Amino acid sequence: MNIDPEIIGFVAGGLSSALFIPQIIKILKEKSAEEIALLTCIIGIISSGLWLWFGIEKSHISMIVTNSIALAATGILLALKLIYTEQKN
């Protein structure tokens, strides 16, 4: 069986991107982001941004799509961290 590597890339990247969604939902429900480290958000944004750049340079559609989603998700996570940290103070 021969599976297209782009399909594997979409599945792997999709799972990695989906990793942040339960945390975002939890933060929104609890209105608290205490358990999220700011450094985690920053590293996530840098990592996703670099993988996106790499995907663009190599014209890998799966890397471009999934890392765009991951970058957006980590950006939302960072925004929620800053919002709920500010509200607590």
Side-chain angles (χ1 to χ4, degrees):
M1 177 153 78
N2 192 7
I3 299 174
D4 184 351
E6 282 294 325
I7 293 172
I8 296 168
F10 272 112
V11 172
L15 290 171
S16 294
S17 299
L19 194 70
F20 301 104
I21 295 171
Q23 193 65 55
I24 290 169
I25 292 169
K26 184 176 190 282
I27 291 169
L28 290 171
K29 282 183 181 177
E30 296 178 0
K31 304 216 182 305
S32 173
E34 282 184 46
E35 73 244 18
I36 300 296
L38 182 60
L39 187 57
T40 299
C41 299
I42 293 168
I43 290 170
I45 287 171
I46 293 169
S47 173
S48 297
L50 289 172
W51 278 115
L52 174 59
W53 182 14
F54 181 79
I56 292 168
E57 289 294 318
K58 297 294 182 178
S59 299
H60 283 262
I61 191 69
S62 61
M63 291 184 82
I64 294 168
V65 171
T66 59
N67 284 292
S68 294
I69 294 167
L71 186 59
T74 52
I76 291 168
L77 199 59
L78 175 62
L80 291 172
K81 173 66 177 173
L82 296 174
I83 288 167
Y84 288 116
T85 298
E86 181 68 25
Q87 286 180 358
K88 188 175 179 183
N89 294 331

